[in-house]
């Protein structure tokens, strides 16, 4: 199981699929490149990041695919955690918690004082998960009211495509997800 493009779009409210966002990871090395390419002066936080609210306010009407780079970043961090490279999730880590809350009937595990312990508790839940404790399509009642640009991402759930972000790229193997999903539904 994983967070699909459809899950991500519905949870975070960003389009997944469409016109790719042009990404150059070295853009910060070029003086004035952001202002020239974006047509606006960036509102950078103390930590050197741009807030989502600023991006949304500036580019809400643009038709770029903002969700795919965000999903690629989340996948990168999920991969690092699952392989033991990192003990904490980065990127849009709260999306993973929301996803688990919607899909896993025994979520959330007991909260602890340590984020690393929370991750270990969640890992135990996932390791012992059975088919009868999974809600495979929690969105069926939500889809009627969701905007088309969010529900259209569900069509990507069963496709094979490259997910690219500013720091990573990975193949999303949607045909495997769809195959496993339908096998699980038949088992129920």
């Amino acid at each position: 199981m994983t967070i699909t493009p459809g899950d991500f779009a519905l949870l975070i409210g960003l389009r997944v699929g469409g016109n790719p966002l042009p990404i150059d990871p070295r853009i910060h090395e070029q003086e004035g490149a952001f202002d020239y390419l974006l047509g606006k002066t960036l509102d950078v936080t103390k930590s050197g990041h741009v807030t989502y609210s600023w991006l949304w306010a500036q580019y809400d009407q643009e038709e770029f695919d903002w969700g795919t780079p965000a999903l690629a970043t989340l996948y990168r961090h999920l991969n690092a955690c699952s392989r033991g490279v990192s003990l904490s999730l980065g990127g849009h880590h709260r999306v993973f918690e929301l996803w688990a809350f919607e899909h896993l009937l025994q979520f959330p595990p007991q909260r602890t004082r340590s984020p690393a312990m929370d991750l270990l508790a969640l890992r135990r839940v996932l390791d012992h998960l059975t088919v009868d404790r999974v809600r495979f399509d929690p969105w069926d009642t939500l889809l009627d009211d969701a905007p088309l640009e969010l529900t259209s991402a569900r069509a990507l759930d069963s496709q094979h495509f490259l997910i690219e972000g500013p720091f990573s790229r990975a193949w999303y193997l949607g045909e495997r997800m769809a195959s496993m999903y339908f096998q699980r539904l038949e088992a129920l």
Side-chain angles (χ1 to χ4, degrees), residues 129-144:
L129 192 62
T130 58
V131 173
D132 61 318
R133 304 298 300 157
V134 176
R135 193 174 342 168
F136 284 96
D137 194 5
W139 316 118
D140 55 355
T141 59
L142 175 71
L143 295 177
D144 294 337

Side-chain angles (χ1 to χ4, degrees), residues 7 9 12 19 22 27 39 60 66 68 79 89-90 93 112 118 120 126 130 139-140 154-155 161 163 187:
D7 288 335
I12 202 164
N19 293 331
I27 192 170
D60 177 34
W66 295 94
T68 301
N79 184 33
L89 277 176
H93 63 282
T112 67
D118 283 345
L120 293 174
L126 294 174
T130 58
W139 316 118
D140 55 355
R154 287 176 51 100
F161 67 102
I163 294 179

Side-chain angles (χ1 to χ4, degrees), residues 18-106:
N19 293 331
L21 190 61
I23 296 172
D24 181 354
R26 297 172 299 157
I27 192 170
H28 67 280
E29 298 171 6
Q30 302 168 17
E31 184 74 32
F34 284 116
D35 294 346
Y36 173 75
L37 293 172
L38 299 176
K40 304 185 187 310
T41 301
L42 292 175
D43 184 15
V44 179
T45 65
K46 290 180 186 176
S47 63
H49 296 91
V50 176
T51 64
Y52 293 116
S53 57
W54 182 86
L55 282 171
W56 188 263
Q58 302 301 316
Y59 300 103
D60 177 34
Q61 300 304 314
E62 300 292 331
E63 295 299 314
F64 285 115
D65 173 5
W66 295 94
T68 301
L71 181 58
T73 301
L74 177 63
Y75 280 168
R76 177 177 180 235
H77 289 283
L78 285 170
N79 184 33
C81 282
S82 70
R83 296 183 185 279
V85 175
S86 174
L87 287 178
S88 63
L89 277 176
H92 305 282
H93 63 282
R94 292 288 183 219
V95 173
F96 182 65
E97 188 174 354
L98 293 170
W99 173 86
F101 184 77
E102 292 295 331
H103 282 277
L104 310 180
L105 299 176
Q106 62 192 57

Side-chain angles (χ1 to χ4, degrees), residues 6 9-10 16 139 142-157:
L10 289 166
V16 175
W139 316 118
L142 175 71
L143 295 177
D144 294 337
D145 299 327
L148 179 61
E149 61 267 12
L150 299 182
T151 59
S152 64
R154 287 176 51 100
L156 298 173
D157 288 355

